[in-house]
Amino acid sequence: MSNPESILQKYWGHTSFRNSQQKVIAEALMGNDVLALLPTGAGKSICFQIPALSKEGTCIVISPLIALMNDQVSSLKNKGIKAEFISGEMSPKQMDYTLDNCIYGETKFLYLSPERLNSIFVRERLKRMKINFIAVDEAHCISQWGHDFRPAYRNIKDIRLILENVPVIALTATATD
């Protein structure tokens, strides 16, 4: 595909990365798992979006909030990037259509809640996709709130059993020690 700088220029209009972004992107493009703890406003989303756009396939983005998914998908679509999300408000037919677009279309980003990863239907469809990265947005939720607030966060690790060799990029601004 394209190099990270040309993708940044094409879709975001910037000519250079912030130092922290460049390091995360470089590690991801080498196929390494990455945990990025970056301050609010540091451009964490670019840290998984650029690598995903650099490689063939779809990036699965695990995100805790429908509003956040909707905002990011809208922003990507406004840039001409194919992105979708699955929410509980969708009918099975709508979910099927969206997942088919990821398998047979050119969808670059599929946003899912951690609860959707528990669905056998979604898991089976993920196995049929060419997935280039798994991004865990707001990764602090895994340990900070996951065990009590959103038990499905404990199961995110199980995605690695299905997608064994897919690099994970976990990002947060608020992780504690």
Side-chain angles (χ1 to χ4, degrees):
M1 294 258 154
S2 301
N3 71 47
E5 289 79 12
S6 65
I7 294 170
L8 181 69
Q9 174 71 40
K10 178 179 178 179
Y11 293 109
W12 284 270
H14 302 296
T15 57
S16 64
F17 291 104
R18 296 176 180 151
N19 191 40
S20 55
Q21 290 173 325
Q22 196 164 18
K23 186 173 182 179
V24 172
I25 291 166
E27 287 294 321
L29 287 173
M30 286 190 289
N32 296 323
D33 291 337
V34 181
L35 171 61
L37 176 57
L38 301 173
T40 300
K44 287 180 291 299
S45 296
I46 282 177
C47 291
F48 68 82
Q49 291 169 342
I50 297 284
L53 289 166
S54 298
K55 294 188 176 250
E56 187 180 341
T58 301
C59 177
I60 302 301
V61 184
I62 302 163
S63 182
L65 302 170
I66 291 174
L68 183 59
M69 288 188 244
N70 191 29
D71 287 349
Q72 288 207 4
V73 167
S74 293
S75 177
L76 289 165
K77 285 182 174 181
N78 286 338
K79 291 174 176 26
I81 300 168
K82 292 184 180 183
E84 299 292 338
F85 73 95
I86 292 181
S87 72
E89 298 155 2
M90 296 171 83
S91 71
K93 187 175 183 174
Q94 289 170 310
M95 280 193 269
D96 188 44
Y97 179 79
T98 299
L99 293 168
D100 271 353
N101 278 338
C102 293
I103 294 168
Y104 303 111
E106 295 189 19
T107 300
K108 288 303 294 180
F109 297 93
L110 174 62
Y111 285 74
L112 301 168
S113 70
E115 289 79 10
R116 285 285 152 212
L117 291 176
N118 291 334
S119 162
I120 292 170
F121 174 71
V122 171
R123 285 177 177 232
E124 288 302 314
R125 301 305 283 280
L126 290 176
K127 290 177 187 177
R128 297 173 53 199
M129 292 178 200
K130 180 167 182 51
I131 298 174
N132 57 19
F133 290 97
I134 301 164
V136 182
D137 203 6
E138 305 297 340
H140 63 275
C141 294
I142 294 170
S143 63
Q144 190 171 359
W145 297 326
H147 301 290
D148 299 323
F149 177 63
R150 303 272 294 267
Y153 269 98
R154 288 183 291 203
N155 300 331
I156 290 175
K157 67 184 181 336
D158 295 342
I159 195 75
R160 294 304 288 271
L161 301 174
I162 298 168
L163 308 171
E164 294 178 17
N165 298 313
V166 177
V168 174
I169 307 169
L171 309 113
T172 184
T174 57
T176 61
D177 289 345

